[in-house]
Amino acid sequence: MDALDARLLLLLTDAPRLNVLECARRLGVARGTVQARLDRLTEQGILGGFPPQLNLAAMGYGLTAFAVIEIAQGQRTSVSEALDAIEEVCEVHATTGQGDLFVRMVARDHDDLQRVIDAVVSVPGVRRTSTSLALSTPVPPRVRPLLERLAYETNSR
């Protein structure tokens, strides 16, 4: 990945609905260059798509919780698949340390969160959970600082 790739991804991070021609115009390169780079970034697994940023609270899911889950040995795949079937589970990470999986989930309210936690705990292979509520999100998920560093580091080489 070079500086132009990083600048292209920054552009699409800020304005994901831009078409290839407009990206080329803003970057000062040919349309074919932008298309080839998008294709390569997709092939390499760097660019996975263009999902919209959604405000889950505005959609009625005002609670975000994180659970550290301890599972039975050898059950990561089956537990992960079962967690994937729970709609309120937004992401699951296999981790080292205290637990085996780190789960981000959302709920409409406290009663709904209890229902979601009950669903998580009932997954075969789940041994123990520890859940924490998010009170705020001072640093939301982001990639911009990494892209900016790549865009400017590569230029100085």
Side-chain angles (χ1 to χ4, degrees):
M1 195 164 129
D2 65 13
L4 181 57
D5 290 334
R7 289 184 12 239
L8 174 58
L9 292 174
L10 278 168
L11 185 61
L12 291 171
T13 297
D14 291 341
R17 295 177 60 164
L18 288 180
N19 63 34
V20 173
L21 188 60
E22 182 60 19
C23 288
R25 187 188 70 73
R26 291 188 188 188
L27 293 171
V29 298
R31 181 198 171 286
T33 300
V34 170
Q35 187 62 61
R37 287 177 178 259
L38 287 173
D39 292 344
R40 182 177 45 77
L41 291 167
T42 301
E43 254 177 45
Q44 292 175 340
I46 294 170
L47 180 61
F50 298 93
Q53 288 185 337
L54 302 175
N55 182 334
L56 294 175
M59 293 172 50
Y61 292 93
L63 288 179
T64 298
F66 298 92
V68 175
I69 300 177
E70 294 177 21
I71 60 174
Q73 283 190 334
Q75 299 296 308
R76 183 177 46 86
T77 300
S78 62
V79 170
S80 297
E81 288 171 355
L83 292 172
D84 186 46
I86 300 171
E87 294 167 353
E88 294 83 2
V89 170
C90 297
E91 58 187 297
V92 177
H93 300 270
T95 61
T96 62
Q98 193 69 20
D100 302 301
L101 299 174
F102 186 74
V103 178
R104 181 173 67 95
M105 59 188 115
V106 295
R108 295 184 181 279
D109 54 35
H110 290 96
D111 290 335
D112 192 39
L113 179 59
Q114 184 62 60
R115 178 190 60 78
V116 174
I117 291 170
D118 289 345
V120 168
V121 171
S122 70
V123 169
V126 170
R127 294 242 169 122
R128 178 180 165 88
T129 66
S130 175
T131 305
S132 299
L133 286 179
L135 299 176
S136 67
T137 307
V139 179
R142 62 192 183 143
V143 295
R144 174 175 264 307
L146 298 173
L147 291 172
E148 288 174 344
R149 185 173 72 195
L150 287 170
Y152 300 117
E153 274 184 4
T154 308
N155 280 340
S156 63
R157 289 183 188 173

